[in-house]
Each structure stands twice: as C-alpha cells, then as structure tokens.
Amino acid sequence: MNKRNILITGGAGFIGSHVVRLFVNKYPNYRIVNLDVLTYAGNLANLKDIENAPNYIFEKADICDFDNMLRIFEKYRIDSVIHLAAESHVDRSIKDPFSFARTNVMGTLSLLEAARGSWLSQPQSPKRKTQTSNLFYHISTDEVYGELKFDNTLFTEETKYDPHSPYSASKASSDHFVRAYKDTYNLPIVISNCSNNYGSYQFPEKLIPLFINNIRNNKPLPVYGKGENVRDWLYVEDHARAIDTIFHKGKSGETYNIGGFNEWKNIDLIKVIIRTVDKLLGREEGASEKLITYVTDRAGHDLRYAIDSSKLKNELGWEPSLQFEEGIEKTVRWYLENQDWLDNVTSGDYQKYYEKMYG
C-alpha cells in the first residue's frame, strides 16, 4: 500500500475524531495530519488513545487562514483532504450566522484554493509522481436538502437543495463551491451528505448527549414544539466506516448520501433515551419522563429528514452495522462511564488548558 499524506480537518471534533482514529489505526502507512482550530467543539482528549501514534500529527490552525493552509499543504506534501471542519449547531447559526458563513464557506474556499495551488498549479516533482491520485473529500449534511413531508419520500443524491437555516445554507454554499472547483479547475472531489450522528465524544449541546447529561443530573429536558420532528439517526462509527469506504472506493466527482435507515420522532427518541438512562442508573423505568419540558419551537425547524443510502450500499457495499436500540445503549453507557470527560467538556476547563498550551 502506497503511503499517503492525508489532511483531516476538524479532527478533534465529534465525527472527525472517529475518522482520525479509524485512519490512524487502520492505515499505518498513511500519515494523518489532524488540523483543528480547537473551538469549543474541538477537544484533543477525544484522541488520547492515538496521540503518540507514529503516523499521527496534530496542527492547530484555522482553515480560513489561507497562507497557513498553503504552508501545511507544502510542509506535509498533502495529497488528499477529508474536510469535516465546520460550525454545525443550528441554534448557534440562528444567533450568529456570520461565523457559520466564515468557517463553512470561506474556510472551505481557503482549503479548495490551497489544494488547487498545491496539486494543479505546481510542476510535479519526482516524489509527487510516485504518490497516489489527489482527492478533496467534502463532508456535508442532509440539511441542505430542506425538509420532507410525513410520507415515504427520502433524500437522494438528486434531491434539489432547499436549505432553511443559516447552518444548512452555509453548508449548501460550501457544497456548491466544491462542485464548482471540479467543473472549473478539474479538481478531483467527492461529497457525502449524512444524517444526524450519535455516539461517543459528541459535544453536549446536541440532543442525545445533552439529554443523557440532564437525566443524570435531574435537569429539564427541553423539547421543541410537540417533539414531532423526525430525524434519521446514524451511529458515528458507521459514518466513519462510510467515509473510509467513499475515500477509497468512491468515484471522483460523485455524491453519496449516508444514512442510518433509522427514522425517529424526537419525542419517541427522547423516551428511549430516558428508559435507557434510567435502567442503567438503577432508577424505575421511565421515572425521568417528568423532566420533559416543551418549549417554543426553533425558527425554521424542518419537519423531517430521511436519507436514501441505496447508492452507497449498491455501488460501494456499505451499510449500517448497528440497530438503533443497540447503538443508543452503547452510547448511553459510554457517557455514563466517562463522566469525567462529560464534566470537563460541560465546564469548559479543557479550553483553558488548550489556551495555555497553544495560545
């Protein structure tokens, strides 16, 4: 297997850390460069188990810093990018859309230009001629497609874009830039759009870890509207496997949807979490349902998302490995068994440490 120099952006975050871990452990002949600016959602504690691996390097950097991106591409002879770095919380995007446009649009553009300058504008050196082909792999979201009705329709790779939040609009824009670089500059690209992820190391502003933590501490469980919005849930390690599959087997220029074939109404999902946490904490089943508190619905809250992953399954052979009940119990156990991690993230102490260490 030829050695590759792969830049994974956002590798200290939730999904990114799982992707970094998979690639570092599975491909010892690859050099994995984890680039993360370490915002509130980036935590190197997510990667303690592989931080000393010989094929792993961490770079603290902002993807919007174009000159620094050029330096990193040159320093490590980057031949491929797996781009996960993004602002991703819808509520935050409603309050601060500028930061989402900056990171998700301008940051992606900065990386695209660095890749173009490194791969297409420079004469090939003897070392570069021996490397495998370049690839810019952009990770996106199903939210760019808008919303579905409560019927049997699913998002496919042909679904028209119809974003409804500043977050989804910023991701849609970045997707368009990636495709434009393929058409304009012949940059080799691939895009995947995934459904909601769950699993270990997720920042506890997101529904599942937030509610696990709140149940543990007997705090209210805020449910938007009547809790009738539907989401398709994907176990994060299955997503990392899908990214691995697409990176190695996907066709350049193609888009692949990644979903869990696993739709749940928010309120039904919450009740499953409650039953699971109560059981594992030795409480009476359903005792924590009294913590449910209905709150005013989020602005522009999409009714339903559901992904059709048939293309990925039929063409590349990927499918989810876990049933949801198995995955959610595994996830709940992880958070309950790693309360130090959860408390450290919730308190923000980890950020103070990184500020001292990296400035």
Side-chain angles (χ1 to χ4, degrees):
M1 189 179 297
N2 293 328
K3 182 172 181 177
R4 302 186 73 158
N5 297 303
I6 303 172
L7 180 69
I8 300 181
T9 69
F14 168 44
I15 300 172
S17 62
H18 285 277
V19 176
V20 167
R21 179 180 295 103
L22 174 63
F23 273 69
V24 167
N25 288 331
K26 187 174 180 180
Y27 303 107
N29 289 331
Y30 290 7
R31 177 163 63 178
I32 304 301
V33 181
N34 172 14
L35 188 150
D36 202 297
V37 72
L38 297 180
T39 63
Y40 74 96
N43 188 352
L44 291 176
N46 300 353
L47 293 165
K48 291 290 288 184
D49 55 320
I50 57 99
E51 65 181 0
N52 295 316
N55 62 331
Y56 171 73
I57 296 168
F58 173 71
E59 280 273 355
K60 183 180 185 296
D62 185 346
I63 58 173
C64 295
D65 185 346
F66 175 62
D67 290 339
N68 204 15
M69 294 306 99
L70 284 176
R71 179 190 66 81
I72 288 169
F73 269 74
E74 182 62 28
K75 178 179 179 181
Y76 298 110
R77 302 196 304 278
I78 298 299
D79 59 69
S80 299
V81 175
I82 300 177
H83 177 35
L84 293 118
E87 295 283 355
S88 66
H89 191 48
V90 174
D91 287 347
R92 287 180 183 263
S93 80
I94 293 170
K95 295 177 180 177
D96 182 15
F98 281 105
S99 65
F100 281 68
R102 179 183 182 275
T103 298
N104 298 352
V105 182
M106 298 305 296
T108 299
L109 182 57
S110 172
L111 286 167
L112 286 166
E113 272 294 282
R116 182 170 76 94
S118 179
W119 302 341
L120 305 181
S121 300
Q122 303 297 327
Q124 292 287 301
S125 68
K127 286 185 178 180
R128 285 213 179 250
K129 287 180 181 177
T130 64
Q131 291 178 346
T132 51
S133 59
N134 305 127
L135 181 64
F136 191 102
Y137 180 0
H138 178 63
I139 315 298
S140 190
T141 172
D142 59 358
E143 296 191 38
V144 298
Y145 297 127
E147 67 178 0
L148 295 168
K149 297 179 180 179
F150 293 117
D151 53 23
N152 294 322
T153 57
L154 300 171
F155 293 137
T156 73
E157 290 80 1
E158 305 303 319
T159 301
K160 292 183 179 179
Y161 278 27
D162 186 24
H164 293 159
S165 71
Y167 163 59
S168 57
S170 69
K171 290 298 290 184
S173 178
S174 66
D175 292 4
H176 291 322
F177 267 107
V178 173
R179 292 192 179 97
Y181 267 65
K182 167 188 170 291
D183 293 340
T184 304
Y185 305 111
N186 202 29
L187 189 76
I189 66 98
V190 70
I191 296 174
S192 61
N193 298 78
C194 72
S195 58
N196 283 30
N197 281 221
Y198 72 97
S200 56
Y201 298 110
Q202 187 171 28
F203 191 81
E205 67 181 354
K206 299 297 180 78
L207 190 151
I208 290 178
L210 173 66
F211 277 38
I212 293 170
N213 197 38
N214 282 12
I215 295 166
R216 176 172 71 102
N217 292 301
N218 290 300
K219 293 183 177 180
L221 306 177
V223 180
Y224 283 125
K226 297 179 180 179
E228 294 181 345
N229 302 72
V230 174
R231 298 294 182 263
D232 176 22
W233 291 90
L234 173 66
Y235 188 57
V236 66
E237 292 182 22
D238 281 335
H239 188 192
R241 286 194 308 104
I243 290 171
D244 178 25
T245 300
I246 293 167
F247 180 82
H248 288 97
K249 299 179 180 179
K251 183 179 177 182
S252 180
E254 291 291 311
T255 297
Y256 298 91
N257 280 350
I258 310 173
F261 296 104
N262 184 38
E263 291 184 59
W264 285 81
K265 279 188 179 181
N266 284 348
I267 191 62
D268 294 335
L269 167 70
I270 290 162
K271 289 180 178 178
V272 170
I273 297 171
I274 289 170
R275 288 197 300 271
T276 306
V277 176
D278 282 347
K279 180 182 73 172
L280 294 178
L281 290 178
R283 299 174 182 172
E284 183 180 347
E285 184 176 310
S288 298
E289 284 193 21
K290 65 180 183 294
L291 299 173
I292 293 175
T293 304
Y294 293 95
V295 299
T296 303
D297 205 358
R298 166 196 288 162
H301 198 179
D302 293 329
L303 292 175
R304 172 176 169 256
Y305 304 145
I307 283 276
D308 182 352
S309 297
S310 299
K311 177 178 177 179
L312 182 56
K313 180 180 179 180
N314 295 337
E315 294 186 9
L316 304 185
W318 174 92
E319 58 185 338
S321 68
L322 290 181
Q323 295 297 316
F324 183 71
E325 289 82 355
E326 180 186 0
I328 200 65
E329 179 158 339
K330 189 174 181 179
T331 298
V332 170
R333 284 187 183 278
W334 188 88
Y335 284 103
L336 294 180
E337 292 171 0
N338 291 271
Q339 292 184 18
D340 287 346
W341 180 92
L342 193 55
D343 291 340
N344 191 39
V345 169
T346 304
S347 70
D349 288 345
Y350 70 105
Q351 287 187 285
K352 298 174 186 175
Y353 171 76
Y354 296 140
E355 285 172 5
K356 290 181 180 179
M357 186 171 182
Y358 294 104

